[in-house]
Amino acid sequence: MTTDFDEFVQGRGRALLRFAYVLSGDAHLAEDLVQEVLARLHRRWDRITAMDNAEAYVRTSIVRQFLSWRRRRAYREAVLADVPEPAPSDAPEHRLLARDQMWQLLRGLPRAQRAVLVLRFYCDLPDEEIAALLGVGKSTVRSQATRALAQMRTILSQTGAGVDG
């Protein structure tokens, strides 16, 4: 059991950290999320590997831990200063600025909406899988995504930040 678990963590640990980072927007919180989930799942690793997809189970656990009420109290978001005017679109600074704007927009969303967008656009999961991961219906996933994107568009239009597409 320990060997299988160690191999899984060595092989997929960085991907799980990236997933948790995209979900939380904070490197330290991402490390905490992954560490807590893996520590909890280690005891049951034999049963988890008997499932069809152990990594999907681990990702689901990370999402649920992120959404849990205990995390809400421990979660600290950094308030960032206003973003400077965008550089020309071909410059590397433009990509960095766009990424920073996206992080700010994601941080402003409720946790459930943020989780839906990360699962849809970062993990490229269909609505059915997102619904199963979050324990909600497909219509809830679609409405959460629609509300989140609408809120992001509203904020962009109010701040005057232009995003192509």
Side-chain angles (χ1 to χ4, degrees):
M1 174 180 96
T2 303
T3 307
D4 291 342
F5 181 79
D6 291 345
E7 288 174 5
F8 175 80
V9 172
Q10 287 176 354
R12 299 304 302 154
R14 292 177 73 65
L16 293 172
L17 274 173
R18 280 192 308 271
F19 172 70
Y21 177 73
V22 171
L23 193 61
S24 67
D26 182 279
H28 298 293
L29 180 59
E31 290 172 358
D32 289 346
L33 286 167
V34 172
Q35 182 177 4
E36 282 184 39
V37 167
L38 290 176
R40 197 170 352 113
L41 297 181
H42 179 264
R43 296 184 306 257
R44 302 178 286 148
W45 194 247
D46 286 339
R47 287 184 284 176
I48 293 168
T49 55
M51 297 176 190
D52 288 339
N53 191 345
E55 185 171 352
Y57 187 87
V58 174
R59 285 180 186 257
T60 300
S61 298
I62 290 171
V63 169
R64 289 189 176 151
Q65 183 66 25
F66 173 70
L67 294 173
S68 76
W69 66 270
R70 288 176 286 175
R71 281 278 147 215
R72 290 180 192 183
R73 289 188 299 168
Y75 188 70
R76 303 285 185 256
E77 292 182 354
V79 177
L80 302 175
D82 290 335
V83 178
E85 288 298 316
S89 62
D90 59 339
E93 296 85 22
H94 179 71
R95 290 191 305 271
L96 185 63
L97 178 61
R99 187 190 71 196
D100 289 344
Q101 284 178 330
M102 185 59 62
W103 276 119
Q104 286 180 341
L105 290 169
L106 283 171
R107 283 186 182 121
L109 295 175
R111 288 173 170 266
Q113 290 178 3
R114 188 183 327 172
V116 166
L117 291 185
V118 168
L119 291 168
R120 179 181 275 180
F121 296 109
Y122 180 75
C123 295
D124 200 27
L125 295 179
D127 290 346
E128 296 80 25
E129 289 183 42
I130 296 170
L133 275 169
L134 299 178
V136 298
K138 290 188 296 186
S139 61
T140 301
V141 170
R142 288 191 294 272
S143 68
Q144 290 284 342
T146 300
R147 287 183 187 127
L149 292 172
Q151 183 176 345
M152 292 170 75
R153 284 186 196 101
T154 300
I155 292 169
L156 283 174
S157 67
Q158 289 173 349
T159 60
V163 175
D164 295 335

